[in-house]
Amino acid sequence: MRVWDAPVRLLHWGMVATVAVAWWSSDDTGPLHENMGYVVVALLAARLAWGFRGSHYARFAQFVRAPRAALAYARAALAGHAPRYIGHNPLGGWMVLALLADLGLLGFTGWLYTTDMFWGYGWLANLHKCLGWALLALIALHVAGMLWTSWQHRENLVRAMVTGEKAPPAGDDVA
């Protein structure tokens, strides 16, 4: 069944590619790094808009659940019996928010550093660098969670994010 629509997949992989280039160019804070930052912010704005106006599984209201639900899901996952979700599971929903928030803060601090008012401030450069490392940690957790969920439910989530298709729900699946 179709879960991830084309805008979600294009925005996801666009951010993957753009963040990779921004990270690769982070030692040289010249035009390439700066332009990748602007592209990430544009992709982020589009994803935020799509999170409120997009298709069912793209909407934040569909996959962002209360922290209690995320903790219950984490306990079930660690015990090896977490339910399968067709869209994002509760931890995945919070990971999306964490990744988007970090990207937004990275874009904001990067932009601030280009302004006359904040040019050359070491604390801002350090904050931007720390946010970059935090993003790398979040990406590692995101990939680990995706691999764990793929293994636990015997489904290829990378393929699902490429094709947009997942197996339809069985009797015990949660929509």
Side-chain angles (χ1 to χ4, degrees):
M1 69 181 281
R2 173 71 59 180
V3 176
W4 310 121
D5 60 19
V8 166
R9 296 186 330 255
L10 290 171
L11 291 167
H12 176 271
W13 293 113
M15 283 190 216
V16 168
T18 308
V19 165
V21 173
W23 185 267
W24 175 76
S25 65
S26 63
D27 285 341
D28 174 26
T29 57
L32 178 61
H33 184 77
E34 188 176 330
N35 289 333
M36 289 300 102
Y38 290 128
V39 171
V40 166
V41 169
L43 293 170
L44 172 64
R47 180 60 184 100
L48 290 174
W50 200 245
F52 292 105
R53 305 287 299 168
S55 63
H56 176 71
Y57 289 106
R59 290 181 183 235
F60 299 126
Q62 191 279 328
F63 65 81
V64 177
R65 293 173 180 80
R68 185 178 304 238
L71 290 173
Y73 182 86
R75 283 192 294 275
L78 290 173
H81 59 272
R84 177 179 179 251
Y85 282 75
I86 299 303
H88 286 95
N89 66 50
L91 283 178
W94 281 96
M95 179 54 74
V96 169
L97 295 182
L99 287 164
L100 295 178
D102 194 287
L103 286 170
L105 289 169
L106 267 166
F108 182 65
T109 58
W111 170 77
L112 275 180
Y113 204 72
T114 67
T115 65
D116 289 339
M117 185 174 187
F118 289 100
W119 175 258
Y121 280 87
W123 67 266
L124 185 59
N126 288 335
L127 176 58
H128 187 72
K129 186 181 287 189
C130 286
L131 288 167
W133 283 105
L135 180 63
L136 195 62
L138 288 171
I139 290 168
L141 285 172
H142 173 61
V143 170
M146 179 273 307
L147 291 171
W148 173 265
T149 304
S150 289
W151 175 76
Q152 192 170 47
H153 298 294
R154 309 291 189 258
E155 66 182 336
N156 187 335
L157 292 176
V158 173
R159 183 178 53 210
M161 189 49 80
V162 171
T163 66
E165 306 276 326
K166 286 181 83 173
D172 60 341
D173 285 344
V174 177

